[in-house]
Amino acid sequence: MGPGPGPGPGPGWLAAGLLVNLAASICIVFLNKWLYVRLGFPNLSLTLVHFAATWLGLGLCQALRVFAPKSLRPRQVLPLALSFCGFVVFTNLSLQSNTIGTYQLAKAMTTPAIVAIQSLFYGKSFPLRIKLTLIPITVGVFLNSYYDVKFNFLGMVFATLGVLVTSLYQVWVGAKQHELQVNSMQLLYYQAPMSSAMLLCIVPFFEPVFGEGGIFGPWTLSAVLMVLLSGIIAFMVNLSIYWIIGNTSPVTYNMFGHFKFSVTLLGGYLLFKDPLSLNQVLGILCTLLGILAYTHFKLSEQEGSKSKLVQRP
């Protein structure tokens, strides 16, 4: 996944990147759920393992000459590392303080927040038809979460902070690749160790470190192997997120995130016989309709810009 901020990848590479992200994201959701529920592995500690695995994975890629690191100053990557830690902490606190429905509904607000940030601070303009596709997607997520939405003040504060910091993080992932002229691997190579060090300082305030239930607790060999497998999959997820945002946009990645949410719900119903109400089916259809409309408009936009380039003398 080395293509950088130069010419964009072809449709085949983009489809491959999206498929890798889809498969890895769905795998990690079910694997993490198993680690939390069956083993009681601490949440933030698992995120720390994920970023440490990403750092080691990139070190291996560099040793195999898959990419060449580019010299960056720590302060250039610091906002990205801080926003990553903020997004992990606040989304975890939001999940702890809210119902799943409220948490999912708040997450759906990330896409409009990204559109607002890019419009206000980055001078990016979005056609009205692109903005209108946010309506069926938000309605779809609301229908999915309808019976599970319960608001409380502290939960709303964490959810709002989570949405704002997540949106900033995703905007900066794309902006930094273009601003610093680096590809996804080169940027993540600097961010992963910095974020790991920050999370290492944060974890003791939220979770035990040693003893029962701590990251250095008496875990069985099978538990350690499952955590390591989760780290390898997280490396693929993190790398593909950077690559997709760097080669498309934060909004496109978010639209893809809504699609993954719908697929995960359907997967839970088909594989684990999780209950799926009529509201949720309508919600999934509504979300998919918005994503299809967005994809159609984006492809039309690309075709239009290509024909302009061809016509140019």
Side-chain angles (χ1 to χ4, degrees):
M1 295 200 177
W13 276 107
L14 201 51
L18 291 168
L19 277 173
V20 166
N21 182 265
L22 176 67
S25 299
I26 290 171
C27 279
I28 208 160
V29 164
F30 292 119
L31 184 56
N32 286 359
K33 190 173 178 180
W34 193 86
L35 285 166
Y36 296 146
V37 176
R38 296 287 175 88
L39 297 180
F41 200 86
N43 195 319
L44 281 180
S45 299
L46 190 61
T47 307
L48 173 59
V49 170
H50 288 172
F51 250 69
T54 301
W55 180 21
L56 290 171
L58 287 165
L60 182 64
C61 288
Q62 189 223 338
L64 295 171
R65 302 195 175 178
V66 174
F67 76 102
K70 187 172 177 179
S71 183
L72 298 174
R73 288 191 297 277
R75 66 182 176 83
Q76 293 176 304
V77 189
L78 187 63
L80 203 56
L82 280 169
S83 62
F84 169 78
C85 291
F87 124 67
V88 169
V89 170
F90 288 127
T91 50
N92 274 308
L93 288 171
S94 172
L95 189 54
Q96 280 173 23
S97 311
N98 293 308
T99 62
I100 296 287
T102 309
Y103 169 76
Q104 287 294 355
L105 190 60
K107 267 181 77 173
M109 295 299 108
T110 304
T111 315
I114 286 170
V115 170
I117 289 167
Q118 289 194 311
S119 302
L120 291 169
F121 302 105
Y122 287 85
K124 191 172 169 63
S125 59
F126 294 87
L128 179 63
R129 58 187 187 173
I130 292 283
K131 289 177 185 174
L132 289 175
T133 63
L134 299 177
I135 297 170
I137 287 167
T138 308
V139 169
V141 175
F142 181 76
L143 285 171
N144 273 319
S145 318
Y146 181 69
Y147 289 109
D148 197 25
V149 173
K150 293 181 183 70
F151 296 107
N152 68 78
F153 179 72
L154 191 62
M156 284 305 297
V157 169
F158 290 142
T160 305
L161 288 169
V163 167
L164 289 173
V165 180
T166 303
S167 305
L168 270 176
Y169 175 67
Q170 292 189 8
V171 168
W172 284 342
V173 162
K176 288 286 179 187
Q177 286 185 57
H178 293 277
E179 177 198 321
L180 303 172
Q181 286 298 294
V182 290
N183 65 31
S184 46
M185 284 186 159
Q186 289 168 328
L187 185 57
L188 200 49
Y189 183 73
Y190 278 89
Q191 196 229 310
M194 208 179 277
S195 293
S196 298
M198 287 177 184
L199 279 174
L200 196 59
C201 299
I202 293 167
V203 165
F205 293 99
F206 291 91
E207 295 169 353
V209 178
F210 300 99
E212 198 68 40
I215 188 170
F216 298 115
W219 301 104
T220 61
L221 179 63
S222 62
V224 171
L225 290 173
M226 290 296 279
V227 169
L228 290 175
L229 176 63
S230 151
I232 293 165
I233 298 169
F235 165 58
M236 292 164 69
V237 171
N238 288 329
L239 193 55
S240 57
I241 287 172
Y242 266 58
W243 190 82
I244 292 164
I245 293 176
N247 287 293
T248 58
S249 72
V251 175
T252 300
Y253 174 71
N254 251 270
M255 292 291 177
F256 187 60
H258 297 310
F259 172 69
K260 286 189 292 189
F261 171 57
S262 299
V263 169
T264 307
L265 271 182
L266 283 171
Y269 172 70
L270 295 170
L271 297 173
F272 301 105
K273 299 289 180 276
D274 286 350
L276 202 63
S277 67
L278 178 63
N279 261 26
Q280 287 178 308
V281 173
L282 288 172
I284 289 169
L285 290 172
C286 204
T287 302
L288 292 177
L289 181 72
I291 291 162
L292 285 170
Y294 174 82
T295 307
H296 171 71
F297 294 145
K298 286 300 282 184
L299 289 172
S300 305
E301 229 177 67
Q302 283 170 8
E303 286 303 315
S305 59
K306 272 182 194 170
S307 60
K308 277 180 195 167
L309 282 170
V310 170
Q311 287 164 15
R312 196 172 289 166

